[in-house]
Amino acid sequence: MFEPIRDRVPEVVDVDEDDPGTYSTIVPVAVCRETDRALAVACELAFTSNHGTIPASAWFHEFSFAIAVIDRTGIELPYLVQDRTIARRYLPELVVPLVMPIVLRSLDALVARVRPIVLYRVTKARNPSGNALRKHNLVTDRLQELGYEMLQKGVDSAGRNFWAMRGPH
């Protein structure tokens, strides 16, 4: 059973450069003392290219977020959960209201560090429900507050919603 280790959004979120062009934030939110695993809100901003037509820009930074399940002993590899139904099984109730504010604070830190010209996002699920899209609407709103404008949005050939936004550079 995971227990909360955080009761508020951190004021500062550290950004790490994992590989050239790939930046991430990891904010621990809970631990399981029985299994020695931790849960963290993990966000990534990765420079990548797309040889198709979506988004309109061939080069962009893709923003994604997930719940990371981390074995603190190092025996098992960490894994990421992007499906909200599965993630809710791990998250203590007291932590759930912190997840999206932590994602938004992480987004602020990543954008401030990297200053992406085009930022792309896509849903994991095909044909997501209104509730599943709420978190993406929060991210879009935050990016607009940061000066980003919608470049392109729609549904890709796999049925996933996507957004491409241009920064204020």
Side-chain angles (χ1 to χ4, degrees):
M1 178 70 69
F2 285 96
E3 301 171 19
I5 58 170
R6 182 174 301 285
D7 62 359
R8 66 181 61 92
V9 178
E11 292 295 321
V12 176
V13 175
D14 293 328
V15 175
D16 295 314
E17 186 172 12
D18 302 324
D19 293 312
T22 301
Y23 299 84
S24 67
T25 63
I26 297 177
V27 178
V29 293
V31 295
C32 178
R33 299 190 195 310
E34 292 174 23
T35 62
D36 207 13
R37 293 184 300 169
L39 294 180
V41 176
C43 298
E44 182 178 86
L45 190 59
F47 191 63
T48 188
S49 66
N50 180 7
H51 299 292
T53 59
I54 298 174
S57 175
W59 291 94
F60 53 88
H61 283 86
E62 182 173 355
F63 175 73
S64 61
F65 56 94
I67 299 300
V69 182
I70 303 163
D71 176 12
R72 298 187 315 167
T73 66
I75 296 171
E76 295 179 20
L77 292 173
Y79 58 94
L80 299 177
V81 178
Q82 288 184 314
D83 183 302
R84 66 189 301 252
T85 306
I86 295 170
R88 285 296 297 260
R89 292 185 212 155
Y90 290 98
L91 292 168
E93 281 301 314
L94 294 172
V95 171
V96 172
L98 298 176
V99 172
M100 283 312 297
I102 290 171
V103 168
L104 297 177
R105 182 68 47 87
S106 297
L107 177 62
D108 291 345
L110 287 162
V111 166
R113 168 93 180 261
V114 179
R115 301 176 48 83
I117 295 169
V118 175
L119 199 148
Y120 173 80
R121 302 183 335 272
V122 65
T123 60
K124 176 178 176 27
R126 295 177 175 159
N127 306 312
S129 69
N131 283 341
L133 288 175
R134 183 186 76 77
K135 61 187 176 187
H136 291 285
N137 292 334
L138 291 170
V139 173
T140 297
D141 291 347
R142 177 55 58 87
L143 287 168
Q144 289 173 331
E145 291 169 8
L146 296 172
Y148 281 75
E149 297 177 354
M150 192 63 66
L151 178 65
Q152 187 178 6
K153 69 179 181 176
V155 177
D156 67 13
S157 60
R160 302 172 306 165
N161 291 60
F162 72 89
W163 302 261
M165 300 180 78
R166 183 177 307 283
H169 313 296

